Amino acid sequence: MNETGGPDVTQELRLPWDDDPEDLYEHAPCGYLTTLPDGTIVRVNETFLAWTGYARADLIGHRRFRDLLSPGDQIYHETHYAPLLSMQGEVQEIALEVVREDGRRLPTLVNAVLERGANGTPRIIRTMVFNATERRRYERELLASRRAAEASEQRVRVLQQIVADLSAAPTEAEVAEAVLRAPEPAFDAASSSIYLIDLDRDQLVAVASTDPTTGNWDDMPRSSSRAVAEVARRGDLHVVASLAEAQQHFPDLADSMRRSGRNTVVLLPLTTGPADDQNGVTVLGVLAFSFREERALSDGELRVIRLLGQQAGQALDRARLYDDARRREERAIFLAATSRSLDEEHRLLQRARRLVERVVPEIADWAAVRLQIGPAGLLEDAGGPPPDAELLAERITEAVETAEPIFATDGDRLGCTILPLTVRGRVLGTLSLRMAPDRRDAGAERLFLADLADRAALACENARLYEQERAIARTLQRSLLAADVPGGDPRFAVETYYQAAAQDLEVGGDWFDAFLITSSKLAVVVGDVVGRGIEAATTMGQLRSAIRALASAENGPARLLEGLDRFCDRVESARMATVVYAEVDLHSGELAYACAGHLPPLLHEPAGSPQYLMQARSAPLGSRAGDRRRTEQRVRLAAGSRLLLYTDGLVERRGRAIDRGFELLAREYARRRDAPLKGLTAGLADTMVGRDHADDVCLLCLTLGTEERLERSIGADPLQIALLRADLRGWLIGHSVDTDCVNAVLLACSEAVANAIEHGYRDDPFGVVDVAATVSGDAVEVRVSDRGTWRGPGTEVVHGRGLQLIEDSMDEVIFDRGEGTTVTMRRHRGGDHD
């Protein structure tokens, strides 16, 4: 009985080899060999002979075991197998290839045992041989699977890196570069190229290639019969597996494959949209990559390739959205900056020039603005070279007549976009642009250019209207600035000056006036109206008229300002205007003045330093805040005093305290105390503000009475002689010198000063000529002095016609040579000249 309770059949089981051990040896499931220590075969079983095809007689005694091995294994037998067996006495599972009788190789696994004799010497070697054919096949399959898995893993890593690169690529160009690099590491491609679709131009644009010599590397219409265009239209992966297939379907591709030595080409559309809905897929480009040998791509590789196309398409779509957003932002920034830049210029010519300077080279390589203004029009251009003038004129005429833009297209011989500058339905002119071809047909670019044209047209129209208004305001202002300032009166002299802002802004509200209230009372006034332009000029005229109407012998400055306050209740634009108003009694020399929010007058009497008249100050006209009471101050002036009235543009500067401006003005005014009145105000303005100033400047200088002694110092400049003559003439007339004497003194003095400049300061443009004149009851004496170096010792001080004129004009002429030269001339008053 067995352990389960059943009969014990092992007692009746008869094993087949119990009776025949030899059969067990001969037909064992492995090969057996017995060899001598040198490897000579002395016994072999039937199994080994069946596997190898050898006859027993061919092996026993004739062949050694290593002779049955492949050449490589024979070397291994000698270098590893035999030494290892000798040292260890056995070897286990050694992989060797046995060469069959017909030359084929049999993969085997070998176990061997070395038996030694009683004295330890090798006696025989017993070798067991296992057939490893199936195992080797399995190993090869396993190795192939492993290699495939490693290749797949490598592709996945490459694609992961590509996807990461695509995710990090913000622009279309960077996405294209990342996609272009994918096929070579992922699929061992020889080269790759990428084409992107330009929807505006309906073209496939060749963007980049690792080897442009491998094919027809150029742009093509999407309707082309070439393979790339066909794949772009179909939107599905296409593998051209061989040259023969390419020849059958795409002859142009076959030609390029033949030239470049390529035998397989993959054309992959770069798509976006749902992968399971072909109708919803949008093709954004095509990736083409090729192999030198014919390449059969596995299903797994094809799936990875399609995945690459989808990932690349999505990245392209995202990048295009980013590029569009960035371009829109750049356009918006450009338009805003252009508008600000144009607003900085107020003249039409400068705005047109600034416009073309902004456009070139940022959006065009050549640009021109043509405005139909005035009989000759206006033209400003930049960049170059200019296009064909005749063809351009035709296009401009067409754009002006239709009031519609004409955009340049591919193949256009002119290559220029013409944008009409339209304002309120009227074509003011045109903006012509020559741009890069890739910007000509883009819809977004057309919208951008239309916006640019609208802004440019509005800016030019505003400048035109500004210039028109400015011209009107300037004309009005000049007509209102006192052209009838009294003059020729020996009791006083008035010198005025007005300088507009250098930046050519609108006409300001600075103004001056001088008029006789009565025959013995003179009024002078300087004011500044808030605002600019026509309104300011009109208000200025109204104030000027109101002051003349309110001025009377009885009112005085304070009551006049009160009247102006009431005037501001009816004329709102006059509110907050500033005024300095003064009345001078020409008999007594008394000055009455008042300041309504204006800067203080500057008085310089014949003796002493200039001083500011700081009293009688109150708020600007029409002010509703603070103390509205008007006060006035009276000062008695000596003959020869000079009173300067001015506006804030003379002394106020941004970043500088006004006290510093007052200090500079007083110092400069004192330095010019002896300068001729003619040109005094212009000289002060030129020194204090120059010609580059952002505010208007207005000055009025009043000289009261006639100086008993005229003293003037002028620079060594012949142009100063005319100013000196005018000042000297007024002084002589003020002292009731007869006309003949006046003319004679003027002629002699002019010649003496001219000689001093020509001979004394011929090499010194900074020299100074001093002139002093006195009038007595019977004569006029003039002294002209210089500190220059004349021709040399022993020579005449003056000669020729100049000396003759001086001697003929004057009764006495004395030359004194000391430190320089002094000419003293005397002319008797009245009577005949001897």
Side-chain angles (χ1 to χ4, degrees):
M1 296 290 290
N2 60 15
E3 294 178 357
T4 62
D8 187 1
V9 297
T10 59
Q11 298 300 325
E12 300 178 359
L13 182 63
R14 182 179 177 84
L15 298 178
W17 59 81
D18 288 345
D19 294 334
D20 190 2
E22 185 65 27
D23 184 64
L24 174 61
Y25 176 81
E26 291 293 340
H27 300 93
C30 61
Y32 283 107
L33 295 93
T34 302
T35 65
L36 298 176
D38 64 355
T40 302
I41 299 172
V42 295
R43 189 176 182 184
V44 60
N45 73 345
E46 187 65 30
T47 301
F48 184 82
L49 295 174
W51 287 350
T52 58
Y54 288 106
R56 195 181 300 272
D58 295 334
L59 298 180
I60 296 176
H62 296 89
R63 304 286 293 274
R64 291 178 299 177
F65 175 67
R66 66 172 176 270
D67 296 336
L68 303 181
L69 303 178
S70 65
D73 285 347
Q74 288 180 10
I75 296 173
Y76 181 80
H77 183 281
E78 293 176 1
T79 58
H80 292 78
Y81 180 92
L84 189 61
L85 180 61
S86 175
M87 286 188 297
Q88 297 183 164
E90 64 177 0
V91 292
Q92 301 291 332
E93 296 184 350
I94 301 298
L96 298 173
E97 285 188 337
V98 175
V99 180
R100 292 185 175 99
E101 193 276 337
D102 59 5
R104 291 182 299 133
R105 296 187 180 189
L106 174 67
T108 65
L109 287 176
V110 176
N111 294 338
V113 176
L114 174 63
E115 293 187 5
R116 298 180 182 273
N119 57 359
T121 60
R123 192 170 66 87
I124 59 173
I125 298 173
R126 300 185 188 276
T127 303
M128 183 183 299
V129 180
F130 296 93
N131 189 340
T133 301
E134 293 301 323
R135 176 170 175 167
R136 186 66 60 86
R137 183 180 297 112
Y138 170 74
E139 289 176 348
R140 282 197 296 268
E141 292 176 355
L142 187 62
L143 182 60
S145 298
R146 179 179 177 181
R147 289 174 177 170
E150 290 175 348
S152 178
E153 183 181 358
Q154 174 65 18
R155 281 195 296 272
V156 169
R157 283 200 299 268
V158 171
L159 290 177
Q160 287 176 338
Q161 183 60 47
I162 295 300
V163 170
D165 292 343
L166 293 176
S167 300
T171 65
E172 187 177 73
E174 290 173 315
V175 170
E177 182 65 25
V179 175
L180 184 70
R181 294 195 303 265
E184 294 185 25
F187 309 106
D188 294 326
S191 61
S192 54
S193 305
I194 188 168
Y195 299 78
L196 297 182
I197 293 177
D198 185 342
L199 293 175
D200 291 314
R201 302 165 64 193
D202 197 31
Q203 279 191 334
L204 278 162
V205 179
V207 175
S209 176
T210 59
D211 186 5
T213 64
T214 60
N216 297 327
W217 180 243
D218 55 5
D219 299 350
M220 69 189 80
R222 281 205 294 177
S223 58
S224 171
S225 60
R226 289 166 58 179
V228 172
E230 178 67 25
V231 169
R233 290 194 298 271
R234 286 198 339 237
D236 194 17
L237 172 67
H238 189 86
V239 179
V240 182
S242 65
L243 189 60
E245 182 181 342
Q247 185 64 47
Q248 181 180 358
H249 298 288
F250 304 109
D252 66 297
L253 180 59
D255 291 341
S256 64
M257 290 172 64
R258 191 179 297 110
R259 289 196 307 270
S260 59
R262 303 295 191 260
N263 285 283
T264 296
V265 173
V266 177
L267 301 172
L268 173 64
L270 310 179
T271 60
T272 183
D276 55 353
D277 183 8
Q278 190 65 24
N279 294 327
V281 168
T282 301
V283 179
L284 302 180
V286 175
L287 174 65
F289 55 95
S290 58
F291 303 91
R292 290 188 176 84
E293 71 285 351
E294 290 188 7
R295 174 74 176 271
L297 298 169
S298 66
D299 291 341
E301 289 177 318
L302 293 176
R303 284 194 297 272
V304 172
I305 291 173
R306 285 191 172 91
L307 179 60
L308 172 63
Q310 295 168 7
Q311 293 289 330
Q314 292 173 7
L316 278 173
D317 190 35
R318 184 186 65 252
R320 286 187 173 182
L321 291 175
Y322 172 82
D323 285 345
D324 288 342
R326 179 174 52 80
R327 279 193 293 269
R328 284 194 296 270
E329 181 182 4
E330 289 175 350
R331 295 186 193 108
I333 293 174
F334 175 81
L335 289 173
T338 299
S339 296
R340 289 195 301 270
S341 180
L342 294 180
D343 287 343
E344 293 172 358
E345 299 290 348
H346 295 80
R347 302 299 299 275
L348 184 58
L349 178 63
Q350 280 74 17
R351 282 197 177 182
R353 183 174 301 147
R354 180 69 64 88
L355 176 60
V356 295
E357 290 173 351
R358 288 282 305 168
V359 169
V360 177
E362 188 158 346
I363 66 172
D365 59 17
W366 175 86
V369 173
R370 284 176 170 80
L371 300 178
Q372 299 173 334
I373 296 175
L378 183 149
L379 170 63
E380 282 293 324
D381 63 351
D388 181 82
E390 185 175 347
L391 187 56
L392 179 63
E394 294 177 3
R395 293 282 178 86
I396 290 176
T397 301
E398 181 183 351
V400 171
E401 291 175 352
T402 62
E404 294 292 335
I406 302 175
F407 294 99
T409 57
D410 291 340
D412 182 4
R413 192 158 59 90
L414 181 62
C416 285
T417 292
I418 313 298
L419 304 171
L421 303 178
T422 307
V423 182
R424 292 185 289 274
R426 172 176 172 262
V427 178
L428 186 66
T430 58
L431 172 61
S432 305
L433 304 171
R434 184 175 61 217
M435 300 183 297
D438 60 344
R439 302 187 65 163
R440 290 177 180 171
D441 299 325
E445 291 299 319
R446 293 190 174 190
L447 293 176
F448 161 68
L449 293 176
D451 196 357
L452 174 63
D454 290 342
R455 295 181 182 230
L458 184 60
C460 290
E461 176 66 2
N462 288 341
R464 185 188 70 81
L465 294 175
Y466 159 75
E467 290 198 355
Q468 184 180 34
E469 178 180 334
R470 180 179 176 278
I472 295 172
R474 181 71 74 189
T475 301
L476 178 61
Q477 185 186 46
R478 288 177 177 173
S479 66
L480 293 174
L481 285 177
D484 55 346
V485 172
D489 193 319
R491 297 173 297 176
F492 69 89
V494 176
E495 176 76 0
T496 61
Y497 181 77
Y498 175 81
Q499 177 179 318
Q503 280 79 356
D504 219 9
L505 303 173
E506 292 180 283
V507 172
D510 294 11
W511 58 282
F512 58 80
D513 197 7
F515 57 93
L516 286 168
I517 301 173
T518 66
S519 61
S520 62
K521 183 169 287 190
L522 172 70
V524 291
V525 59
V526 167
D528 189 356
V529 175
V530 176
R532 310 188 73 82
I534 292 179
E535 184 178 7
T538 304
T539 302
M540 177 189 72
Q542 291 174 312
L543 273 176
R544 177 175 179 269
S545 299
I547 289 174
R548 289 202 172 205
L550 292 171
S552 67
E554 299 79 18
N555 277 344
R559 293 184 62 186
L560 182 138
L561 294 183
E562 292 171 355
L564 290 180
D565 286 331
R566 293 189 294 274
F567 172 78
C568 290
D569 293 336
R570 300 189 302 273
V571 181
E572 185 67 24
S573 59
R575 192 174 301 280
M576 299 306 294
T578 65
V579 171
V580 55
Y581 175 78
E583 295 178 354
V584 181
D585 188 321
L586 299 177
H587 289 323
S588 64
E590 184 180 59
L591 169 71
Y593 69 94
C595 292
H598 206 86
L599 300 181
L602 181 59
L603 174 64
H604 197 180
E605 296 189 278
S609 302
Q611 59 179 335
Y612 289 98
L613 304 181
M614 302 298 294
Q615 293 76 28
R617 302 189 58 76
S618 55
L621 299 180
S623 174
R624 297 187 176 97
D627 189 355
R628 297 184 59 186
R629 293 175 299 176
R630 302 299 181 181
T631 62
E632 63 184 54
Q633 183 72 17
R634 296 180 179 273
V635 179
R636 188 169 299 278
L637 304 181
S641 297
R642 286 182 174 180
L643 180 69
L644 180 68
L645 311 183
Y646 53 93
T647 56
D648 54 6
L650 187 67
V651 294
E652 287 187 353
R653 296 292 180 276
R654 182 176 298 176
R656 186 183 75 185
I658 194 169
D659 289 345
R660 177 60 176 165
F662 286 148
E663 179 185 340
L664 293 174
L665 176 59
R667 186 173 64 192
E668 189 63 27
Y669 194 45
R671 192 177 68 83
R672 296 171 181 267
R673 177 64 183 86
D674 294 330
L677 182 62
K678 189 71 173 177
L680 173 65
T681 52
L684 275 175
D686 188 57
T687 301
M688 293 293 295
V689 304
R691 299 298 175 182
D692 186 15
H693 187 48
D695 199 4
D696 296 347
V697 176
C698 182
L699 298 94
L700 182 149
C701 186
L702 167 67
T703 297
L704 184 63
T706 304
E707 302 165 79
E708 293 184 5
R709 174 183 174 87
L710 182 141
E711 294 182 350
R712 299 290 185 265
S713 297
I714 66 172
D717 182 357
L719 297 178
Q720 296 289 324
I721 298 177
L723 300 177
L724 175 66
R725 286 173 59 90
D727 203 14
L728 181 59
R729 179 187 294 275
W731 182 79
L732 292 171
I733 293 174
H735 282 279
S736 302
V737 177
D738 60 280
T739 303
D740 290 342
C741 183
V742 168
N743 293 335
V745 170
L746 291 177
L747 177 60
C749 182
S750 299
E751 288 297 329
V753 172
N755 275 318
I757 294 173
E758 179 182 358
H759 301 293
Y761 296 120
R762 61 186 180 278
D763 298 321
D764 183 8
F766 302 103
V768 175
V769 179
D770 296 320
V771 178
T774 56
V775 176
S776 61
D778 63 342
V780 176
E781 183 177 288
V782 179
R783 180 176 299 167
V784 177
S785 304
D786 68 76
R787 287 173 290 280
T789 302
W790 288 58
R791 291 183 179 275
T795 61
E796 292 292 336
V797 174
V798 293
H799 60 82
R801 192 166 183 271
L803 174 60
Q804 187 65 43
L805 286 174
I806 293 174
E807 292 178 343
D808 290 345
S809 301
M810 306 299 285
D811 295 320
E812 299 178 25
V813 179
I814 300 173
F815 294 96
D816 181 14
R817 296 288 303 277
E819 293 184 3
T821 299
T822 300
V823 181
T824 303
M825 302 169 288
R826 184 178 179 85
R827 168 83 184 207
H828 296 293
R829 299 178 61 179
D832 296 333
H833 168 62
D834 296 330

